[in-house]
């Protein structure tokens, strides 16, 4: 029985995703990428989350700030407030917190880890409902990437394609919070804020979506206790 690779950022969604995978899989590798993110505190959270869920953590350093182009990887680009983003009308533009090609790159890294460790499955905590409009969080992207992986990996041509699972993709943030509580996921260790400050700012897109999720779930955010 082969195991699984879970992309773990240290945020709420990937933590709940890891808690699900640990229940369902025989062996789980939590893959965390130090990509030069402004909110480096999430890396500390990811290590604690992996430890709490007794998953092996693999930390990969791949500095996407080498080319920047995002508020999360370029100190010259400010992280906008949620209010500034959501005023864009029916189809708002993709915000500057989008990191160019991040999930394409992370999915490729997960393929490398999965293939080298003979894992059958990759779990992604992407979410297409309460999200920030990122194109690489959509089911169409994941389906197309799985197809590319089948064509591009040795195990794909050997008839053992990797399966990509996105158990949170169509859940609301409130549903993800409730699921995390049910699974006993260590939500108190998670970090969502895009601004790399000592405490969550409460006003960036990620903070606002998180707060909305906990509020709608009727759960106090244990990370703010
Ligand atoms: Zn924030």
């Amino acid at each position: 029985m082969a195991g699984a690779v879970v992309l773990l950022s240290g945020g709420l969604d990937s933590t709940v995703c890891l808690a699900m995978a640990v229940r369902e899989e025989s062996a789980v590798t939590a893959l965390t990428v130090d990509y030069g993110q402004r909110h480096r505190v999430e890396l500390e959270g990811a290590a604690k989350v992996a430890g709490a869920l007794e998953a092996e953590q693999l930390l990969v350093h791949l500095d996407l700030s080498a080319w920047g182009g995002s508020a999360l990887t370029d100190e010259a680009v400010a992280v906008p407030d949620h209010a500034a983003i959501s005023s864009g009308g029916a189809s708002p533009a993709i915000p500057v917190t989008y990191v160019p090609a991040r999930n394409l790159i992370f999915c490729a890294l997960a393929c490398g880890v999965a293939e080298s460790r003979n894992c059958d499955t990759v779990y992604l905590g992407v979410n297409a409902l309460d999200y920030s409009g990122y194109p690489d969080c959509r089911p169409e992207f994941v389906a197309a990437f799985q197809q590319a992986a089948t064509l591009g990996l040795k195990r794909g041509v050997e008839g053992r394609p990797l399966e990509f699972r996105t158990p949170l993709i169509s859940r609301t943030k409130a549903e993800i919070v409730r699921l995390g509580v049910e699974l006993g996921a260590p939500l108190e260790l998670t970090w969502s804020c895009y601004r790399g400050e000592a405490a969550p700012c409460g006003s960036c897109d990620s903070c606002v979506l998180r707060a909305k999720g906990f509020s709608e779930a009727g759960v106090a955010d244990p990370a703010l206790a």
Side-chain angles (χ1 to χ4, degrees), residues 121-136:
T121 315
V122 171
Y123 283 75
L124 306 172
V126 293
N127 177 246
L129 283 185
D130 287 345
Y131 81 132
S132 303
Y134 302 146
D136 51 4

Side-chain angles (χ1 to χ4, degrees), residues 193-194 201-202 204 207:
C193 183
Y194 286 147
C201 74
C204 74
C207 278

Side-chain angles (χ1 to χ4, degrees), residues 2-223:
V5 175
V6 182
L7 275 167
L8 176 69
S9 69
L12 175 67
D13 296 356
S14 67
T15 294
V16 174
C17 194
L18 178 61
M20 291 182 89
V22 163
R23 283 211 171 182
E24 292 171 17
E25 305 288 341
S26 58
V28 173
T29 300
L31 172 61
T32 300
V33 186
D34 175 356
Y35 62 95
Q37 57 267 62
R38 176 195 295 257
H39 49 311
R40 304 195 60 73
V41 62
E42 77 169 7
L43 294 171
E44 296 166 24
K48 290 177 190 164
V49 164
L53 290 170
E54 298 180 356
E56 182 194 352
Q57 191 192 31
L58 182 63
L59 180 63
V60 171
H61 299 270
L62 186 69
D63 187 9
L64 304 187
S65 72
W67 54 83
S70 165
L72 301 193
T73 54
D74 188 339
E75 287 293 332
V77 184
V79 175
D81 279 348
H82 174 75
I85 294 171
S86 53
S87 60
S91 50
I94 294 167
V96 293
T97 47
Y98 166 75
V99 178
R102 181 174 56 184
N103 278 358
L104 267 171
I105 294 165
F106 286 9
C107 284
L109 293 174
C111 284
V113 176
E115 189 161 51
S116 67
R117 297 191 170 197
N118 200 27
C119 297
D120 291 334
T121 315
V122 171
Y123 283 75
L124 306 172
V126 293
N127 177 246
L129 283 185
D130 287 345
Y131 81 132
S132 303
Y134 302 146
D136 51 4
C137 291
R138 295 178 298 168
E140 299 93 316
F141 162 71
V142 178
F145 194 92
Q146 178 166 296
Q147 199 174 8
T150 299
L151 292 170
L153 297 179
K154 176 172 175 279
R155 58 174 296 146
V157 297
E158 289 176 348
R160 298 179 300 120
L162 266 185
E163 182 190 351
F164 282 71
R165 287 191 192 160
T166 55
L168 308 181
I169 202 158
S170 57
R171 296 180 200 247
T172 66
K173 213 58 145 182
E175 288 169 342
I176 293 169
V177 168
R178 283 193 213 103
L179 181 62
V181 171
E182 274 172 40
L183 292 170
L187 303 183
E188 71 281 4
L189 300 176
T190 61
W191 181 272
S192 299
C193 183
Y194 286 147
R195 296 187 169 115
E197 295 163 3
C201 74
S203 61
C204 74
D205 209 26
S206 191
C207 278
V208 170
L209 290 174
R210 178 184 177 116
K212 179 172 170 279
F214 274 96
S215 170
E216 288 175 4
V219 175
D221 186 342

